[in-house]
Amino acid sequence: MPYFGIHGSIKGGVYNAVLEAAQLGCQTVQLFTKNANQWAGKPLNDADAQRFRAEIARTRLRFPTAHDSYLINLASPEPTLHHKSMTAFRTELDNAEKLGLSYLVTHPGAHVGSGVEAGLKRVVESLDQLFDDTPGYRARVLLETTAGQGTVLGCRFEHLATLLHQSRHPHRLGVCLDTCHIFAAGYAISTPADYHATFDQFDRIIGLQHLCAFHVNDSQADFGSRVDRHAHIGQGKIGLEAFRLLVNDERFREHPMILETDKADEMDAVNLQTLRGLL
């Protein structure tokens, strides 16, 4: 069975994300290690980190994962923003190491008009430098598939393949596939034929061995719209069949599958129940 999880709240301490996930019967958890909409954050203190590790051990959650700040753009051609992004991402790597995380998910960034090739080159060089500076760090950086709004990179499987294959540290990289994002980017998954064709394409271009985790979200936006709007499972344009195929796919039976849907009205519990009911 896949490891189902939620994006937990860190209000009051990073360990609270673990408690929230465990209370819902999850097998994994994702969190921000600091405020995702601010450059600077409260330093992660040793006591919080130790409590987090203790709760992970107690609850036996697998593959604890962080998502980096939404402000970070390693593809930016603007020197000041790029420098701030490098500094912020180094903090993300440090926090992931301190917490003993398995994965750190990141969006590849936006080329901001400089072109796809130039943007991808900057991301490769940036990550290589960060990895050079953090030898021995254990959290694997997962490049997330994106919907492709504006000049955002990662909406084509070829983008992620370039980042993986050109890196000097490919063993420190992997992929997180977001179901909403690939649907919005134009990869069909709603029927068995489309689902298998898309994953065959992923395997051919990137390689399924690089696929480490999933964000399981339905889509409010239309297929191929390149608009990133998450919907509750089975209540969006993707439909339940894609999620039935995914959670029963033997290739992914030990992969984390994390919800990033709206948490209002205790919908995490509802979406988890829906996913479990598809098994």
Side-chain angles (χ1 to χ4, degrees), residues 124-138:
V124 170
E125 291 171 349
S126 299
L127 288 172
D128 277 347
Q129 181 181 327
L130 287 159
F131 293 152
D132 285 343
D133 293 343
T134 56
Y137 277 31
R138 291 159 290 182

Side-chain angles (χ1 to χ4, degrees), residues 10 14 32-42 69 88 91-92 95:
I10 62 168
V14 288
F32 296 123
T33 64
K34 63 178 207 45
N35 190 314
N37 294 306
Q38 293 179 6
W39 285 109
K42 182 181 176 183
S69 167
T91 299
E92 300 280 0
N95 287 349

Side-chain angles (χ1 to χ4, degrees), residues 20 44 50 81 116 141 162 172 193 252 267:
E20 182 184 359
L44 192 60
Q50 290 169 7
L81 179 56
V116 170
V141 172
T162 295
R172 293 187 62 178
F252 311 131
M267 284 302 294

Side-chain angles (χ1 to χ4, degrees), residues 10 16 29 57 62 95 98 111 128 130 143 203 208 236 257 262-263:
I10 62 168
N16 281 322
V29 66
R62 300 287 306 279
N95 287 349
K98 200 168 189 177
H111 65 75
D128 277 347
L130 287 159
L143 305 163
D203 191 29
L208 285 174
M257 295 189 180
D262 189 346
K263 300 170 83 67

Side-chain angles (χ1 to χ4, degrees), residues 41-91:
K42 182 181 176 183
L44 192 60
N45 66 58
D46 291 340
D48 270 5
Q50 290 169 7
R51 174 81 185 273
F52 179 90
R53 285 173 173 265
E55 294 297 349
I56 287 290
R58 183 184 67 81
T59 58
R60 299 183 179 179
L61 295 189
R62 300 287 306 279
F63 303 112
T65 298
H67 196 301
D68 71 345
S69 167
Y70 294 134
L71 300 176
I72 291 171
N73 183 10
L74 296 179
S76 175
E78 203 282 306
T80 301
L81 179 56
H82 185 264
H83 176 74
K84 290 174 74 172
S85 296
M86 291 288 284
T87 302
F89 201 82
R90 173 58 193 265
T91 299

Side-chain angles (χ1 to χ4, degrees), residues 174-233:
V175 174
C176 175
L177 186 146
D178 187 307
T179 52
C180 168
H181 295 174
I182 65 167
F183 178 83
Y187 292 100
I189 53 173
S190 297
T191 68
D194 286 340
Y195 174 92
H196 290 296
T198 288
F199 278 98
D200 285 348
Q201 191 176 0
F202 184 102
D203 191 29
R204 192 166 60 251
I205 296 170
I206 299 175
L208 285 174
Q209 71 273 20
H210 297 293
L211 180 50
C212 299
F214 292 88
H215 287 163
V216 282
N217 306 300
D218 210 324
S219 175
Q220 292 182 35
D222 291 332
F223 174 71
S225 63
R226 296 182 70 154
V227 173
D228 179 6
R229 295 288 183 276
H230 296 180
H232 297 301
I233 306 300

